[in-house]
């Protein structure tokens, strides 16, 4: 049965129904016209059911119809009247069967096509599913690799960020701890970095300085030249210029005060942008030390000169003075006596100048100890009562009743007071007010001497402590009094300041450190 079923399931070639159709045609030609041989054409037509060709029923039916009517055409005389009817009916039956078989084959073909398409779709879906599964697996593997790479990158980035942060903190610490002012400028010469030393140097906070142009810290008369210099340096290709190579530059504090600075500059390009780093060093203290050194050298030279002068001039002056005094006692003519008195006055003046020079250059070491300044002030003022009354100068003493002792030399402090009082009286030749004050301050005692005289011009206030500098008329001052005063105050680790307004007077204020036991105030005398 299996063999029969497998034989029936095999497709029949189209030639078999066609050969059978031809055999029936031959049989129809031999048979009498009245016999309905056309019914036999149904057999080959039905065999097309097993053919694998979709149009086989139509082909076989067409061939059978042609042969059926061809036989009638070859023997028209022998055909009985009903033969035409038989063949017509047979033809209709054949085409009906052919039509049914054709529709069946079309439906079967459509089903097979649909099944094949469905199978292909299933295969495509399976393939797509397999591809999808493969892609999913690959994606999962790629994701795993990516996650591993990302974790590694994050770890590396974290380490790099930590190293960068450590480097930044170290660099920031170095910059902020630097003694010199460090500024960084962008292409527009605006400040993008401002360290602590710069804040102290310019008296400006970092928050106020950032984003501001550098011109803010340069005097107006130098700004254009400085900006042009930086632009030329930026295009020169030179990466740095050492400290001092730019010479002395003038800076401007936030309060408007100008001061000398020494500068170095460097440049670097970062991501197409140019940045300049400027290092500034305040020369104010150095200039002060250099000036002090020059003054010390001048004083040393002056000491050498004074020593020679005291020997070369002092002895002849003593001889002249002695002779003039001897003659003055024996001469009675008034013109001669006036001439001798003039000689004596001038010789005494020369001797006094020489003594001041020697006192200035060979000042003896101070004998310091706890000193109550109130008796020193009162005793010194006592020497000037006659002079004060003669010039109609009033005296005001503002001495604090309880004032700590200072660590000082009484003779030298008295010399300081004498010089300051003499200067005050010279500033008030006819009348005025002399004020002397004494008051305690934190860690110091303040001694002040004020007058209501003509004052000191502002442009020369800074020079009054220079040796031989004087504002008095020729012959009335040596220019050493205030120099001696400042030297004594400096030796006592104190300070002296002057405030003067032309036409209104001058005030000298001396601060002397309290004695080690100066915490116990001395009782007023």
């Amino acid at each position: 049965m299996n063999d029969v079923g497998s034989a029936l399931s095999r497709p029949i070639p189209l030639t078999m129904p066609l050969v059978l159709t031809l055999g029936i045609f031959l049989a129809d030609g031999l048979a009498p016209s009245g016999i309905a041989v056309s019914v036999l054409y149904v057999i080959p037509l039905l065999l097309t059911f097993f053919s694998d060709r979709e149009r086989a029923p139509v082909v076989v039916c067409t061939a059978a119809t042609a042969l059926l009517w061809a036989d009638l055409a070859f023997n028209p005389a022998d055909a009985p009247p009903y033969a035409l009817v038989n063949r017509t009916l047979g033809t209709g039956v054949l085409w009906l069967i052919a039509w049914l078989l054709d529709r069946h084959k079309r439906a079967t073909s459509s089903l097979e096509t649909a099944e094949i398409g469905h199978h292909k779709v299933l295969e495509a879906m399976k393939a797509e599913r397999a591809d999808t599964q493969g892609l999913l697996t690959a994606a999962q593997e790629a994701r795993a690799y990516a996650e591993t790479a990302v974790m590694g990158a994050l770890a590396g980035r974290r380490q790099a960020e930590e190293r960068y942060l450590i480097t930044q903190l170290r660099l920031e610490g170095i910059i902020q701890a630097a003694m010199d002012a460090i500024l960084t400028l962008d292409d527009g010469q605006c400040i993008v970095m401002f360290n602590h030393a710069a804040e102290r140097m310019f008296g400006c906070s970092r928050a106020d300085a950032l984003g501001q142009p550098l011109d803010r810290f340069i005097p107006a008369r130098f700004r254009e030249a400085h900006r042009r210099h930086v632009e030329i340096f930026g295009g020169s290709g030179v990466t740095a210029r050492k400290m001092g190579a730019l010479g002395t530059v003038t800076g401007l504090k936030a309060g408007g005060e100008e001061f000398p600075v020494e500068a170095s500059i460097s440049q670097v390009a970062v991501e197409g942008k140019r940045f300049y780093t400027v290092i500034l060093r305040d020369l104010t203290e150095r200039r002060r030390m250099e000036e002090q050194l020059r003054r010390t050298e001048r004083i040393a030279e002056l000491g050498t000169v004074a020593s020679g002068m005291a020997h070369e001039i002092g002895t002849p002056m003593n001889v002249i003075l002695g002779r003039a005094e001897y003659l003055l006692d024996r001469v009675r003519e008034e013109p001669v006596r006036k001439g001798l008195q003039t000689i004596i006055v001038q010789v005494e003046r020369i001797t006094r100048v020489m003594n001041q020079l020697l006192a200035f250059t060979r000042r003896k070491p101070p004998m310091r100890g706890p000193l109550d300044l109130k008796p020193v002030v009162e005793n010194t003022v006592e020497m000037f009562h006659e002079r004060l009354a003669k010039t109609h100068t009033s005296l005001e003493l503002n001495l604090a009743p309880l004032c700590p002792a200072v660590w000082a030399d009484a003779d030298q402090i008295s010399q300081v007071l004498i010089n300051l009082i003499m200067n005050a009286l010279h500033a008030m030749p006819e009348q005025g007010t002399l004020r002397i004050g004494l008051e305690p301050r934190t860690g110091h005692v303040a001694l002040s001497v004020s007058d209501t005289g003509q004052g000191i011009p502002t442009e020369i206030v800074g020079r009054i402590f220079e040796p031989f500098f004087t504002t008095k008329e020729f012959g009335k001052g040596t220019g050493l009094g205030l120099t001696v005063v400042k030297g004594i105050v400096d030796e006592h680790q104190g300070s002296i300041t002057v405030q003067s307004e032309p036409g209104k007077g001058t005030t000298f204020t001396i601060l002397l450190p309290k004695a080690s036991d100066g915490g116990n105030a001395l009782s007023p005398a």
Side-chain angles (χ1 to χ4, degrees):
M1 293 294 296
N2 291 334
D3 294 339
V4 175
S6 61
L8 292 175
S9 63
R10 294 175 187 164
I12 297 175
L14 183 60
T15 54
M16 182 180 294
L18 290 176
V19 172
L20 184 57
T21 302
L22 185 58
I24 295 172
F25 170 72
L26 294 176
D28 188 23
L30 298 175
S33 300
I35 299 174
V37 181
S38 58
V39 179
L40 297 178
Y41 285 106
V42 174
I43 297 173
L45 186 59
L46 294 175
L47 289 178
T48 59
F49 177 81
F50 301 101
S51 175
D52 57 353
R53 302 189 63 161
E54 183 179 348
R55 304 296 292 175
V58 175
V59 173
V60 173
C61 185
T62 301
T65 302
L67 293 176
L68 180 63
W69 290 97
D71 182 66
L72 182 60
F74 291 147
N75 300 308
D78 297 338
Y82 57 84
L84 182 60
V85 176
N86 289 339
R87 291 182 185 275
T88 301
L89 292 175
T91 300
V93 172
L94 289 176
W95 280 105
L96 178 61
I97 295 173
W99 178 75
L100 293 174
L101 290 174
D102 183 66
R103 289 201 58 181
H104 173 72
K105 280 190 170 292
R106 286 178 181 272
T108 303
S109 177
S110 298
L111 291 175
E112 290 177 352
T113 303
E115 185 176 355
I116 292 172
H118 180 65
H119 180 71
K120 289 182 179 179
V121 170
L122 290 177
E123 291 295 328
M125 290 178 64
K126 289 180 181 179
E128 185 177 355
R129 186 178 301 169
D131 293 341
T132 303
Q133 188 66 29
L135 291 174
L136 182 60
T137 303
Q140 291 176 346
E141 293 177 354
R143 180 180 179 182
Y145 291 143
E147 289 177 351
T148 303
V150 168
M151 293 301 294
L154 289 176
R157 178 179 179 180
R158 191 177 300 111
Q159 293 177 356
E161 288 177 349
E162 290 176 356
R163 289 195 296 270
Y164 176 75
L165 179 60
I166 292 172
T167 303
Q168 285 292 100
L169 292 176
R170 185 181 295 119
L171 179 60
E172 182 72 12
I174 293 173
I175 291 175
Q176 296 302 332
M179 299 297 292
D180 295 327
I182 301 177
L183 293 77
T184 298
L185 315 175
D186 59 14
D187 272 335
Q189 298 190 29
C190 291
I191 299 172
V192 297
M193 195 273 290
F194 200 75
N195 72 342
H196 293 322
E199 291 181 311
R200 294 190 298 270
M201 179 181 291
F202 292 103
C204 178
S205 67
R206 181 173 179 270
D208 292 337
L210 292 180
Q212 296 295 318
L214 184 62
D215 289 349
R216 175 177 176 179
F217 302 109
I218 299 175
R221 64 185 182 278
F222 299 127
R223 289 173 183 171
E224 183 61 31
H226 182 272
R227 176 173 287 274
R228 187 165 57 254
H229 170 77
V230 173
E231 291 174 352
I232 293 173
F233 172 73
S236 66
V238 179
T239 57
R241 287 183 179 170
K242 295 181 180 180
M243 185 74 72
L246 303 178
T248 301
V249 182
T250 302
L252 181 67
K253 294 182 181 291
E257 177 186 354
E258 295 185 7
F259 63 102
V261 295
E262 192 175 40
S264 67
I265 185 171
S266 61
Q267 61 176 320
V268 63
V270 179
E271 296 180 355
K273 296 181 180 179
R274 191 176 301 278
F275 293 91
Y276 303 94
T277 297
V278 182
I279 301 177
L280 302 173
R281 183 173 297 162
D282 192 345
L283 297 181
T284 304
E285 184 64 20
R286 184 193 295 179
R287 294 285 178 83
R288 189 187 69 79
M289 296 298 293
E290 291 175 351
E291 181 62 28
Q292 184 175 354
L293 178 60
R294 285 193 293 269
R295 185 179 301 161
T296 303
E297 292 174 347
R298 287 199 300 268
I299 291 173
E301 294 172 357
L302 181 61
T304 303
V305 173
S307 298
M309 290 176 64
H311 177 71
E312 298 295 335
I313 299 177
T315 301
M317 288 297 104
N318 289 331
V319 173
I320 295 172
L321 180 61
R323 293 293 182 179
E325 289 176 345
Y326 174 79
L327 293 174
L328 185 63
D329 292 337
R330 286 164 176 74
V331 174
R332 295 292 179 263
E333 293 84 359
E334 191 62 28
V336 176
R337 289 180 62 86
K338 287 184 179 180
L340 291 174
Q341 288 175 349
T342 301
I343 292 173
I344 292 172
V345 170
Q346 293 301 321
V347 169
E348 288 178 344
R349 178 177 175 275
I350 293 173
T351 303
R352 186 168 59 252
V353 171
M354 293 303 303
N355 290 335
Q356 280 186 324
L357 279 172
L358 290 175
F360 175 66
T361 58
R362 293 182 176 180
R363 196 159 46 241
K364 65 177 183 178
M367 304 295 293
R368 299 178 198 166
L371 177 65
D372 184 4
L373 289 178
K374 186 175 180 180
V376 175
V377 173
E378 292 173 343
N379 293 334
T380 303
V381 170
E382 182 69 24
M383 295 187 296
F384 290 93
H385 276 175
E386 184 178 351
R387 176 78 177 268
L388 293 172
K390 185 177 179 180
T391 58
H392 305 287
T393 301
S394 61
L395 174 66
E396 294 181 5
L397 294 179
N398 299 314
L399 308 180
L402 297 176
C403 199
V406 296
W407 193 259
D409 183 303
D411 291 339
Q412 289 189 345
I413 297 302
S414 178
Q415 183 181 358
V416 167
L417 268 174
I418 291 172
N419 284 342
L420 292 179
I421 293 173
M422 287 295 296
N423 282 344
L425 293 177
H426 286 157
M428 301 180 294
E430 296 182 359
Q431 63 180 3
T433 301
L434 174 65
R435 298 185 181 90
I436 301 177
L438 190 64
E439 62 176 350
R441 293 188 184 179
T442 305
H444 295 81
V445 174
L447 173 63
S448 61
V449 178
S450 302
D451 63 66
T452 57
Q454 57 193 6
I456 304 173
T458 305
E459 60 272 11
I460 64 173
V461 169
R463 300 185 59 195
I464 61 175
F465 295 110
E466 294 180 3
F468 301 108
F469 181 82
T470 180
T471 58
K472 300 175 184 177
E473 297 178 6
F474 179 74
K476 293 186 178 181
T478 63
L480 292 174
L482 290 178
T483 305
V484 172
V485 168
K486 189 173 189 327
I488 293 174
V489 173
D490 289 343
E491 286 181 353
H492 283 74
Q493 286 79 49
S495 64
I496 181 170
T497 58
V498 58
Q499 292 178 334
S500 183
E501 187 174 351
K504 293 188 177 181
T506 303
T507 300
F508 287 90
T509 303
I510 299 172
L511 292 179
L512 295 173
K514 293 192 297 185
S516 58
D517 59 346
N520 299 321
L522 299 175
S523 300

